[in-house]
Each structure stands twice: as C-alpha cells, then as structure tokens.
Amino acid sequence: MSQFDVTIIGSGPGGYVAAIRCAQLGFKTAIIEKYATLGGTCLNVGCIPSKALLASSHHYEELQHFADHGIEVSGEVKVNLEKMIARKQAVVDQTSGGVKYLMDKNKVTVFEGLGSFESATSVKVSKADGTSEIIESKNIIIATGSKPSSLPFIKLDKDRIITSTEALKLKEVPKHLVIIGGGVIGIELGQVYLRLGAQVSVVEFMDRIIPGMDASLSKELTKVLKKQGMKFYTSHKVQSVDRAGDKVTVKAENAKGEIITLEGDYSLVSVGRRPYTDGLHAEKAGVKVTDRGQIEVNHHLQTSAANIYAIGDVVRGAMLAHKAEEEGVMVAEILAGQKPHIDYNLIPGVVYTWPEVAAVGKTEEQLKAEGIAFKAGSFPFKALGRARAGGDTDGFVKILADAKTDEVLGVHMIGARCADLIAEAVTAMEFRASAEDISRMSHAHPTFAEAIKEAALAATANRALHV
C-alpha cells in the first residue's frame, strides 16, 4: 500500500499547484486525477481552450478592419473551424503536458482514476480498467472542482442543447446560437461565435449581463456587444428549451409577463457551475458537505476532518482558477507550519471578451449597501493616445476610493489589455495605496496603463489631465 504525507484529489489549477508547493516544502506528495490528462476543467475544457478560440476569432475579426490601417487584403478570407478547433486542442495538449512535466520535475506521484474516501486517511483509486488500489495519506486535499449547472427542466443532449464543454468543439458555426445565461462563460463563448458569423442571442434572468460585476462595466460591455451585433434579453426567465431536429426553441417570460420565443440551431446553457463531489464519498471521512454541494471549511480551508482540507471551486467563494491556486499554496504552507493569508477581496475577476473586462475590490453597489462613503474617478480609453493609435477606444477605468482616507477600495475597468492591467490595481490595493499614491506614479507614455493614473487623478479632487 502506497503511503504519502499529502494526497490531492483533483489536478486542476488548485490541485496541481498544491501538489507542487507541497513537494517544494518536502512532503511526499501524490495527486489523483480521474481523466487521462492533467489540468482539470481550466486547462482541458475551460480557461485555456476558451482563450485559444477567443484569440483565433479575434484575429479573424481584426482582419475585417485591416483596411482602416492601410492594409489591403485581396482574395477570399474564410473561417476553417475544424483547424481552429484543432489548434485549440494543440494548445490544451501542450499545456496539460506541461503540468505532467511539473509533476515529474517535483517528484509528485500521479494516480489515474476516480479518488474516493475509504476513511479520513485512506483513498481508493478506481481505475478505468476496473482495478483499484488504496492510498494511505496523513493529509488529504480535496480539489475536485466544478461542473456546468443546468436548469431542472432543460434536457441537455450535448448535441444541440449544450454546455460550455461542447461549445468548445462544435463542428460548424451556428446560424443562431441562443445562450441561456449572461455570465462570463456565456458572453465569452458568445463573442467567439458572433465573430465567426453566428447570430447570437443572450437570455439573462437578471436585469443585466455579468451581474456580479460593477453595473457600469455591464452597461459598457452591453453597449459594445450590441454594436457588434449581439442581442440581449435581460430580465427574462426561461420557461422551456425544446429541440425538434436541428431546431432549438427557447421560450422565456419577460418582466411584463409576456412570453417571447427564440428559435436557433444551438442553445448554450450557461447558468453557472456546481461543486463536483460525485463519487467522493466524503461522508466516509467525516467531511461535511453543505446543502449546495460545497465542502464545508473553516478560514484555514480545513474540513470537519482535521487532516483533510478543500480548495477551489468545491468550497465557498468565486469559482476562479487563480483563487484555487492561491488556496492550494495556502494549504500546503499551513501543513508546513507557516502562516499564509489570502485577502479574498483582492482576487481579481476578468471577462476575456474584447474589450476585456476586469475588476478587483468593492463595486459601487457594494459600497453603497455597506454605507461606506466613497469618491469615484473615471477615465475613458478614447482619450488615450495609445488607444487611438491602435483603434481600441472602447471602455474606461474607474477607481473607487474612501472619501476620508483616499484608500483605493475598488478598481473597475473595461477596454484593451484590461486582463493584464488589473494586476497594477491588485498590487496597489495589496499595499493599501491611496488614489493619490497611484496618481503620483510615473506611467510610460503612450500606454493603456496611463488610464489607471488618469482615473486616480480623477478620484483625487478631479485632477485628470487629459479630459
């Protein structure tokens, strides 16, 4: 029987990073993965493949505007979806292979099979060939991630009525893609197929898309995507989704109680994700699971069983790969006797559309609800020389600062390169910078990052220089 200091169940970003950090700290470490490839949802059917398709479709979209830059392209330009999907898979394979390399480099033992508890210190690995083996481990980290959610009355056939997993490997560009859910995943994949020529309609129960982010970001993204041709049906409650041959019919009720009908050839159900604990048998280890299917943990990510921890999508908090990574490192360092800390308020959120959307800290809505007096400063990308030079003038940066202390409480941005620009805001807030601190930092000219400095100036007694 194999024995380890730490065993991780699940090899997604949280799991594999936890394994690496445990190995670095001198623990004999094992990781269990039910699939043949490492990396979990993010690397295989989530973050990485979706960004590959977003990149490919963005290149195609840019081609339509080459003439604006004095570049004339003659001849027919066509989308080869099969090659696009193949490139996506090559990126996935390379990235997953990189995780396998890291496991080997750090001497982490990899077990392929479904991991399930036999007790608080033993895990059964059930393999694809029907055999199984038991692993003994002093400590265990649950990192089993999440799966796409659906609605009770929707029958997912994974052919025409699909989840994000199937949307990443379609064999044709939809004529009309009806997306149920206006969150991050639906909007990103919607833009991929919109660029490739599909008609895209988004049905959202809430009164706006990306409802978890600052309302100003939702408003701006809606405006830009409408300009690109995407249609939105917000404040609509889906009543039914039916398929007849190649036709999918979605019926939804609007705020007035009226039923609208949308007919498409594909419907993407993108209503969030659920924690995945199927087959884990957590009860055998004395691990409590909430009514929502989440593993119950304390502020050290420790479960009701003292030697078992849980991280990532399977516990409370935002379902983000980088949040899972931070939690994986935190647990490893706790096991080593260190005292790490995560400030969950400073974990950024990003939507990888174009323009990109990114945010960290409190939204205006949250600050108002909490009764915190704040001041706001915004700066539009259209006022930036670099943005005009590149033709990426949509969007803005908004900084929210405490009305009395000037400490930055939230940064919200939409525009080119915002997925990368948000790191400056995270760094500033980690060191509890004031808006004035940011405004006095030199930012290279011309850059997109100047919008952050200008927004900080705007929040500091309305001192923006270029508007």
Side-chain angles (χ1 to χ4, degrees):
M1 186 180 297
S2 300
Q3 295 187 334
F4 296 91
D5 296 320
V6 185
T7 296
I8 297 103
I9 305 175
S11 73
Y16 84 74
V17 168
I20 292 170
R21 189 69 184 117
C22 283
Q24 288 176 341
L25 291 166
F27 294 114
K28 184 181 179 184
T29 306
I31 193 164
I32 304 169
E33 173 54 56
K34 64 180 289 190
Y35 295 112
T37 57
L38 302 177
T41 292
C42 178
L43 269 64
N44 290 282
V45 290
C47 323
I48 301 303
S50 62
K51 303 314 165 279
L53 290 182
L54 279 162
S56 296
S57 62
H58 185 56
H59 287 315
Y60 178 66
E61 182 185 45
E62 281 189 311
L63 192 62
Q64 319 305 314
H65 303 286
F66 274 9
D68 297 340
H69 294 267
I71 303 169
E72 297 180 2
V73 179
S74 59
E76 185 180 7
V77 178
K78 297 190 296 183
V79 170
N80 187 325
L81 186 61
E82 184 179 357
K83 282 189 176 181
M84 197 176 285
I85 298 291
R87 177 191 175 274
K88 176 266 301 181
Q89 191 57 47
V91 171
V92 167
D93 293 344
Q94 183 180 20
T95 308
S96 179
V99 175
K100 178 62 170 66
Y101 163 78
L102 290 171
M103 295 301 98
D104 293 340
K105 175 187 174 184
N106 289 280
K107 297 181 174 56
V108 175
T109 304
V110 177
F111 292 89
E112 185 182 328
L114 176 67
S116 59
F117 285 103
E118 290 289 297
S119 73
T121 56
S122 60
V123 179
K124 180 181 180 181
V125 182
S126 302
K127 302 178 182 180
D129 62 5
T131 63
S132 64
E133 65 178 300
I134 303 293
I135 295 172
E136 287 291 326
S137 189
K138 293 177 186 176
N139 299 287
I140 298 167
I141 302 174
I142 302 168
T144 47
S146 62
K147 293 286 183 183
S149 296
S150 185
L151 297 172
F153 54 85
I154 297 178
K155 183 180 179 181
L156 294 166
D157 61 19
K158 299 188 177 181
D159 179 35
R160 295 280 171 175
I161 304 174
I162 60 176
T163 70
S164 57
T165 300
E166 294 77 46
L168 293 166
K169 53 184 179 183
L170 293 181
K171 291 181 168 53
E172 63 178 351
V173 176
K175 296 179 182 67
H176 183 193
L177 176 62
V178 181
I179 299 174
I180 300 171
V184 176
I185 297 170
I187 295 299
E188 287 183 355
L189 291 173
Q191 193 178 50
V192 167
Y193 288 106
L194 180 72
R195 289 166 172 168
L196 301 182
Q199 177 185 343
V200 176
S201 300
V202 178
V203 182
E204 169 56 46
F205 177 73
M206 302 294 283
D207 62 355
R208 56 191 173 93
I209 62 171
I210 54 170
M213 302 187 87
D214 193 272
S216 63
L217 299 181
S218 172
K219 182 179 179 181
E220 180 72 7
L221 183 61
T222 299
K223 182 183 79 174
V224 173
L225 292 178
K226 277 185 176 179
K227 189 168 61 176
Q228 294 175 5
M230 196 175 290
K231 295 182 179 179
F232 296 98
Y233 300 85
T234 53
S235 298
H236 279 65
K237 183 179 181 180
V238 174
Q239 300 293 311
S240 63
V241 181
D242 299 299
R243 176 182 174 181
D246 291 345
K247 184 173 76 173
V248 178
T249 303
V250 176
K251 292 186 177 180
E253 182 182 359
N254 66 20
K256 297 178 182 178
E258 302 165 335
I259 301 296
I260 65 135
T261 301
L262 296 171
E263 292 185 352
D265 50 341
Y266 289 89
S267 179
L268 167 59
V269 180
S270 181
V271 292
R273 299 182 65 84
R274 64 173 180 88
Y276 184 72
T277 56
D278 300 10
L280 186 62
H281 299 311
E283 70 284 353
K284 289 187 179 182
V287 172
K288 291 182 181 178
V289 180
T290 70
D291 293 340
R292 297 180 61 189
Q294 293 175 329
I295 301 291
E296 201 172 278
V297 292
N298 62 18
H299 63 285
H300 285 144
L301 299 169
Q302 187 178 37
T303 71
S304 47
N307 68 311
I308 301 174
Y309 296 76
I311 63 174
D313 289 4
V314 81
V315 302
R316 62 177 180 258
M319 290 185 173
L320 298 170
H322 46 286
K323 177 251 195 188
E325 290 184 1
E326 296 301 328
E327 290 179 332
V329 170
M330 177 175 165
V331 169
E333 292 178 352
I334 286 173
L335 291 175
Q338 298 180 17
K339 295 183 178 180
H341 169 71
I342 297 173
D343 186 343
Y344 286 95
N345 184 53
L346 298 186
I347 293 178
V350 179
V351 187
Y352 292 88
T353 49
W354 197 266
E356 293 174 332
V357 185
V360 65
K362 301 286 189 179
T363 66
E364 280 202 37
E365 294 76 21
Q366 289 171 329
L367 292 174
K368 288 173 182 176
E370 294 171 20
I372 298 173
F374 67 94
K375 52 187 179 178
S378 294
F379 189 81
F381 275 88
K382 64 184 178 183
L384 281 182
R386 179 66 186 275
R388 287 195 297 271
D392 289 306
T393 56
D394 289 321
F396 59 84
V397 173
K398 179 170 72 174
I399 291 179
L400 307 176
D402 188 281
K404 293 181 180 178
T405 67
D406 197 37
E407 180 179 350
V408 177
L409 304 175
V411 181
H412 308 275
M413 53 180 74
I414 175 171
R417 318 283 175 84
C418 282
D420 299 299
L421 293 177
I422 197 64
E424 177 180 338
V426 176
T427 302
M429 291 178 67
E430 184 68 44
F431 288 93
R432 302 192 65 175
S434 65
E436 184 179 358
D437 288 332
I438 297 174
S439 75
R440 292 189 179 278
M441 293 164 51
S442 179
H443 287 65
H445 174 76
T447 60
F448 289 102
E450 287 177 281
I452 299 175
K453 177 185 175 78
E454 291 278 359
L457 282 165
T460 307
N462 198 26
R463 288 180 48 218
L465 298 170
H466 290 88
V467 285

